[in-house]
Amino acid sequence: MREGKMSMESWHKVGFIYAHPDDETFLSACLIQELADRGEEPVLLLATKGDAGKKNGAFEHSTNEELAEIRTQEMERAAQILGLAVVEHLGYPDGKLKEVETAPFVDAVVDFINKHQLKVVVSFPEDGGNYHPDHVAISQITTAAVLSGRCPSVEQLYYYFTAKLAEDGYKPSLIIDTLPHWAMKAEALRAHQSQILAIHRHFGDLTVCPEPRRYESFVLAYDQGALL
């Protein structure tokens, strides 16, 4: 992985590939909005609809189908706030991405990348950030898609920068200060109301930007045909 600061000026046709609705806001709300504000049309692919996240809000007694619909609607509101041009869902079962057959999963990600002719792809790192099995799985599948040789438009793959990468000696390639964008990020987080308990555990009550969560950081993992 490449270390050191890099400019966003070369970021065009950018796609974010995550596991659940709200991953995009937790990890990259400000990056998405900065891209949108400069005229880009960032797109998002989610592997699940978050249908198992029942303990993070007021929907513990909902069915998986009901929660999937709720979270899809929440995602639409967040997308409008962030400036996402497109949100697509693969609809795999939440919490079970490790059980999904690899080949069709990779095919679906390849299809998304090629449909939008993405040049830059952003996803989780190998450790998933917090070792969540769904996060780890979508990182593996996204990386496999980029390395498959079937996505010729892709020039770069970035991973969200985590404590594990820092412990391993890596430095972020791109750092975005959340503080100037905090009102927007907080609004997008509130859009995911079904997950508000998890949001509060991570970010507090959203009235102020918590210093430990101030920066969105990313590291370059693949560049011009080579995994770094």
Side-chain angles (χ1 to χ4, degrees), residues 110-198:
V110 167
D111 289 346
F112 175 80
I113 290 171
N114 289 337
K115 176 181 177 180
H116 297 285
Q117 287 294 289
L118 299 180
K119 292 185 177 181
V120 177
V121 174
V122 181
S123 190
F124 286 103
E126 294 174 343
D127 70 341
N130 57 1
Y131 298 99
H132 189 301
D134 281 356
H135 297 175
V136 172
I138 194 62
S139 173
Q140 292 172 342
I141 294 296
T142 301
T143 303
V146 170
L147 294 178
S148 70
R150 295 188 287 148
C151 303
S153 65
V154 176
E155 298 175 357
Q156 294 179 324
L157 169 65
Y158 286 82
Y159 291 149
Y160 181 76
F161 190 74
T162 62
K164 177 65 167 60
L165 289 173
E167 290 171 4
D168 291 343
Y170 293 106
K171 296 180 181 179
S173 308
L174 176 69
I175 300 174
I176 296 179
D177 189 351
T178 294
L179 189 58
H181 308 271
W182 180 248
M184 176 278 301
K185 182 158 182 164
E187 185 182 1
L189 287 166
R190 292 187 188 99
H192 292 287
Q193 269 298 308
S194 70
Q195 306 304 298
I196 199 64
L197 298 182

